[in-house]
Amino acid sequence: MANEDPARTALRTSDEKLTYGELSREAAALAIKLAQRGVGRGSRILILPSRGISLVTTMLAAFRVGSAVSVVDPRHPDEYIAACVGVLEPELIVDLSDRSGPWAGRPVLREDDVRRTGSGCGHAPGPTAGQDLQPAEKAFQPDDCAIITFTSGTTGIPKAVAGRYSSLSYFYDWMDARFGPLHGARFGMCSSIGHDPIQRDIMTPLYLGGSIVVPQDDILDQPTELGQWLRDEHIEAVCLNPVLITSLDHEGPGLPDLRLFLSVGAALTRGHALRLRRLAPDARILNLYGSTETHRAVGYFEVPRQPEEIAALPATIPLGEGMKDARLEVVSLRDTSPCVPFEIGEIAMRSSQIGLGYLNSPELTSERFRPGPPAPPDGSSSGASFTTPTYMTGDLGYYAPGMGVISVGRSDDQVKINGYRVELAEVNAACHAHPQVSEAVTIVRDIDGVPSLTTFLVPSDETLQFSVQGFRAFLARTLPHYAVPQHIITRDSVPLTINRKVDIDTLKREAEARHAGDGTDVITDFVRRHTGMDRPPQDTPLGSLGIDSLRFSSLVSGLIPDAAARGRYRLRNSMTIGEIRQALTGEPPQAPVSVPLSVPRQRSAVTTGAVRHNEPVTRVSSTEITFGTRTLAHACSNDYLGLGTRTGDPEALEELFASGLPLHSHGSPAVNSHTAWHEQLAGLLCELYGTESSLLFSSAYLANTAVIPGVAGPGDHVLVDESSHASISDGCLLSGATIHVFRHNDVGHLASLVGNLEGSAGRKVIITEGVFSVEGDVADLPALSEVARAHDCLLMVDEASSLGQIGRSGHGVEEHFGLRSAVDLRVGSLAKALGSSGGYATGSRELVDAIRSVGGAVFSTGLSPVHAFMAHRSARELLDNGEALVSRLRSNAETWRSGLNDAGLSTGGSQAAIVPIMCGSAEEVDRRHSAMLDAGVYAIPIAYPWSRTVNAIRTSVTADHDSDDLMRLAAHVADVLLRAHEDSS
């Protein structure tokens, strides 16, 4: 390039620019100086770099004379650098960082010696563009050592990995053809200064005729400024650790210039990929997999362009396949023979371009670097299949058709909790599903001999503090019990090492320093260590706090060292701290510890001693519910029409048994779980709503989180009512679309938001509920439909609470208003009016077909045949007798609502069978809910975090209630709440 286009910019810093011609002359002049000092082929140079032109010049000069270079971050302590010097034994140290160090007696070049001054480094005149000391084939050979990179060693001494010259440029023509063209592109030099990806940052643009753009170190030290720098400098290609992705959209309009993003250094998660796709919709995103030992030979997986395709990927993005003439393989842990698809084995990289081995460690080299298998006798070997060396990575994985290699962890560092293998990436992915989580890192550490999970969370709003109990409850909805972390710690940011990897050691030290206890109470200190709760409640069963049987055994062993004596106390993890203390000492339990109001408290459906919240439901109907042996009035059943009781009775199920179909699902709907009952149910849903096509899901939550990403993605806009269900919020977040929230049922506010989007590219989707699941009010469908049609928006309605409740025959919000074809797409629940379980989506064939390929619709186990059968029976009943059923429900709802209102209780804007008793604060919710439980009435408390806008006791009635009983119950509730208010005053 220096000969072809010497005036082209090769390097840019904040205050300097160097052309290819100038760079070539500076490198040649420095090469002469190196040669004069005896540096040549087979020599070694240790570079203590600064981020800038001198680093590039020094590396190119060293390569001109055939020397090997080792770039060591100057921020390392003296002891580490001294160890590197001892292993490397360099002929020369080039100190560009202006630090003194432990290299007495070794020749040193400094910054002033490297950069040319006057006529050029003391040589007059300097070499001209293209001039070299000798032909390249004499300076070095392809398999000579070019790079020596230090990585961590198990002995405490850094391991030195040698990389070959040929690997520095072997893959770039292939990359340009596959992911380019990259000629002339602006590459950001953003990798950690002592980390091996810095080689890619330098060599890729210079080989392909691009330009290196160098950020100031303070920009990289403040990741929130990195996104703005990438925009300001119009960076088109960059190599970054994925942990930095969350910082890139801190502010600003995305990364419109980015054409190539290389993810290195840590696992790229599905959440990272979705966020990056939103930021850079036109970029090619590559997840690169390799190690220091594989040098530039790496595996790659290209992230799809469509968010629904990304959402269908595993929680951790696959590793994919090898680059040109490199094979990413999975081999048996027994004999290194190739594994079959989906068989877990050790991941190996086979390529002629992997590293040469470890300096001064032939035993380790022979263990990890292995010769290729012998070629077949017929001479049919080709590419990287035979006779090429292999590096055994120590990582575990399996091959999946269509995705390539997928990682499952380390062969030498398996994470097991209570005997279960836990994927930390899956835990992190579950955390990222929370709308307020910006970043999540989970680590494993030993607590009292028990492997335990600690998750560090970075909130999207720096003022937030995650509640331990509340967030564990959130994770417990999607993770198996053993994978829910014991500790939840809120942090302002994720700490990084100087190589910009997650600083696990810092996180472990921080976790160990927290909740250590003060030694005054052994039981409380134990719970504090194992749960991360600063003040664990004294009146909550230990099992509910996360003290499982294994941890409880550890606690009991410490409390009662004499094993023979333990049986006398009959201690169980269903006991509270106070109960255990009383069992051991005879002292009464201490008063409950209050939780500061500044931290959101976990709310349970039962919160007082009237019903122990760990007691199971032993009997339930639409009107009564029994916990253990105590029966309460059931004022929160979702079986609004009472159809669940009818379709689930033994006589009704005889038809299902006679069909010969199983009760359970055998797999996903696309494979083997769509039965005749599913087909009939889908048809009945179309008949109910007058639609063309329906799709079934195993839950209504899954329906929303699959449907919304199916109709909206990056570049699109979703406009959502602020009171919409959490599943709608999560679906919007997963879609990658821009989210606009309008005030509850405020169509004027919605219209102004849509008006602001005039001229914007992408689809606009309005999302609301038919009947809101907390307030019980009805969406203003006529006005919503008018806005949608006027502004060419798709209108989606969640009918989970409106089906069976409103409309003359219970067909939902369109029938309620006497409209037709106002709604484009509906989702809903089979678990409410239809008395079964599961969810659905229904609309035009075109819209529903677009959703079928979304991950949640494809990769989840299908709705079970027994639930499809029950919902099908209920849907048939609603079609045949809906008017009578809904009339009775409507009458009961009015009776209940009037009874409460007449006694002075507010029910907000309720228009359906969902009737909230409005409260002024979260404290009033707790107080009223406790009073109702004590009086034998079971309802649901609603406050933060379950709702951000409403404080209420959510009640509901069913068609099975007797109107006279409802009148008496309303008067009883009103009297109880009035007395509770007087007592609190």
Side-chain angles (χ1 to χ4, degrees), residues 536-748:
Q538 306 286 303
D539 60 344
T540 300
L542 266 61
S544 299
L545 298 179
I547 305 299
D548 53 39
S549 57
L550 186 61
R551 294 171 204 285
F552 189 74
S553 297
S554 177
L555 170 62
V556 173
S557 298
L559 292 173
I560 313 171
D562 183 359
R566 292 171 194 159
R568 296 200 301 266
Y569 293 93
R570 297 185 178 180
L571 301 181
R572 307 175 305 281
N573 72 339
S574 60
M575 299 171 72
T576 68
I577 291 176
E579 289 169 342
I580 293 174
R581 185 183 297 110
Q582 185 177 30
L584 293 174
T585 66
E587 298 175 4
Q590 298 176 7
V593 176
S594 62
V595 180
L597 295 178
S598 59
V599 179
R601 288 192 290 170
Q602 178 185 6
R603 298 188 176 274
S604 166
V606 185
T607 59
T608 76
V611 181
R612 286 286 297 280
H613 68 267
N614 58 321
E615 289 181 310
V617 174
T618 52
R619 188 176 180 85
V620 64
S621 71
S622 301
T623 59
E624 290 186 335
I625 186 167
T626 302
F627 290 89
T629 59
R630 177 154 189 203
T631 299
L632 299 93
H634 197 182
C636 56
S637 172
N638 284 342
D639 188 11
Y640 304 123
L641 300 178
L643 294 176
T645 303
R646 304 178 203 182
T647 58
D649 65 31
E651 291 186 13
L653 291 175
E654 283 297 326
E655 184 180 357
L656 172 64
F657 299 144
S659 72
L661 289 169
L663 302 183
H664 65 285
S665 292
H666 279 274
S668 69
V671 178
N672 53 15
S673 72
H674 190 80
T675 68
W677 299 122
H678 295 82
E679 187 69 18
Q680 292 182 48
L681 171 58
L684 291 176
L685 289 170
C686 290
E687 187 177 347
L688 273 167
Y689 290 117
T691 51
E692 296 177 338
S693 184
S694 295
L695 189 61
L696 304 177
F697 297 87
S698 55
S699 76
Y701 181 94
L702 179 61
N704 270 323
T705 55
V707 168
I708 297 173
V711 297
D716 296 332
H717 301 268
V718 290
L719 301 104
V720 190
D721 190 295
E722 66 178 353
S723 291
S724 293
H725 192 270
S727 61
I728 294 176
S729 300
D730 289 352
C732 291
L733 288 169
L734 287 172
S735 74
T738 302
I739 302 172
H740 310 269
V741 179
F742 61 92
R743 290 187 291 272
H744 177 50
N745 236 346
D746 188 338
V747 180

Side-chain angles (χ1 to χ4, degrees), residues 230-569:
L230 293 171
R231 284 187 288 273
D232 291 344
E233 295 293 340
H234 304 285
I235 298 301
E236 297 168 278
V238 71
C239 178
L240 286 177
N241 188 308
V243 75
L244 296 173
I245 291 173
T246 55
S247 302
L248 298 182
D249 63 352
H250 184 68
E251 56 184 21
L255 301 171
D257 298 306
L258 194 63
R259 294 161 48 194
L260 181 65
F261 183 96
L262 306 179
S263 174
V264 300
L268 178 67
T269 68
R270 185 173 55 221
H272 286 140
L274 284 167
R275 181 172 295 199
L276 184 58
R277 178 55 72 208
R278 292 196 296 271
L279 287 170
D282 297 325
R284 309 285 292 269
I285 303 173
L286 302 185
N287 184 34
L288 299 187
Y289 169 77
S291 64
T292 302
E293 288 84 352
T294 65
H295 205 197
R296 301 279 63 81
V298 296
Y300 76 99
F301 180 88
E302 183 169 5
V303 174
R305 290 191 177 272
Q306 299 303 317
E308 59 268 24
E309 296 179 78
I310 299 175
L313 295 174
T316 301
I317 298 300
L319 309 181
E321 59 185 352
M323 287 188 168
K324 169 192 174 185
D325 296 336
R327 287 183 57 133
L328 196 60
E329 302 178 340
V330 182
V331 300
S332 170
L333 297 173
R334 299 183 302 275
D335 54 14
T336 70
S337 60
C339 289
V340 299
F342 303 107
E343 179 187 6
I344 293 177
E346 184 173 359
I347 300 173
M349 173 60 74
R350 189 187 309 282
S351 171
S352 61
Q353 303 303 314
I354 63 173
L356 295 163
Y358 300 104
L359 293 187
N360 310 325
S361 185
E363 298 84 4
L364 184 60
T365 296
S366 62
E367 177 186 342
R368 307 307 300 176
F369 292 83
R370 301 181 183 178
D378 60 3
S380 61
S381 64
S382 62
S385 299
F386 297 97
T387 69
T388 50
T390 301
Y391 174 68
M392 308 301 294
T393 67
D395 293 330
L396 295 180
Y398 61 89
Y399 174 78
M403 294 187 186
V405 175
I406 295 177
S407 173
V408 298
R410 287 286 297 173
S411 60
D412 52 4
D413 188 24
Q414 283 293 302
V415 176
K416 284 198 172 182
I417 305 295
N418 294 3
Y420 297 94
R421 184 167 61 84
V422 175
E423 297 297 337
L424 301 186
E426 290 288 349
V427 179
N428 293 338
C431 294
H432 279 289
H434 194 289
Q436 294 170 334
V437 171
S438 172
E439 189 57 74
V441 177
T442 302
I443 64 173
V444 180
R445 60 194 186 93
D446 188 277
I447 304 178
D448 297 329
V450 181
S452 305
L453 297 176
T454 297
T455 293
F456 293 83
L457 301 174
V458 177
S460 55
D461 182 342
E462 61 184 12
T463 65
L464 294 177
Q465 181 80 13
F466 291 102
S467 156
V468 175
Q469 284 181 278
F471 202 87
R472 291 186 80 252
F474 168 80
L475 293 179
R477 292 187 292 178
T478 56
L479 291 176
H481 66 91
Y482 54 82
V484 176
Q486 284 71 41
H487 280 211
I488 302 292
I489 297 175
T490 304
R491 237 181 167 276
D492 293 335
S493 61
V494 175
L496 304 179
T497 67
I498 59 177
N499 286 335
R500 304 198 182 282
K501 294 189 176 183
V502 175
D503 191 343
I504 299 298
D505 290 338
T506 292
L507 294 179
K508 285 185 176 180
R509 287 194 298 269
E510 180 177 339
E512 289 165 2
R514 290 180 180 233
H515 321 299
D518 55 14
T520 59
D521 185 333
V522 174
I523 305 173
T524 300
D525 285 352
F526 182 94
V527 175
R528 185 181 288 120
R529 287 196 303 277
H530 284 264
T531 66
M533 302 174 67
D534 288 321
R535 293 191 291 170
Q538 306 286 303
D539 60 344
T540 300
L542 266 61
S544 299
L545 298 179
I547 305 299
D548 53 39
S549 57
L550 186 61
R551 294 171 204 285
F552 189 74
S553 297
S554 177
L555 170 62
V556 173
S557 298
L559 292 173
I560 313 171
D562 183 359
R566 292 171 194 159
R568 296 200 301 266
Y569 293 93

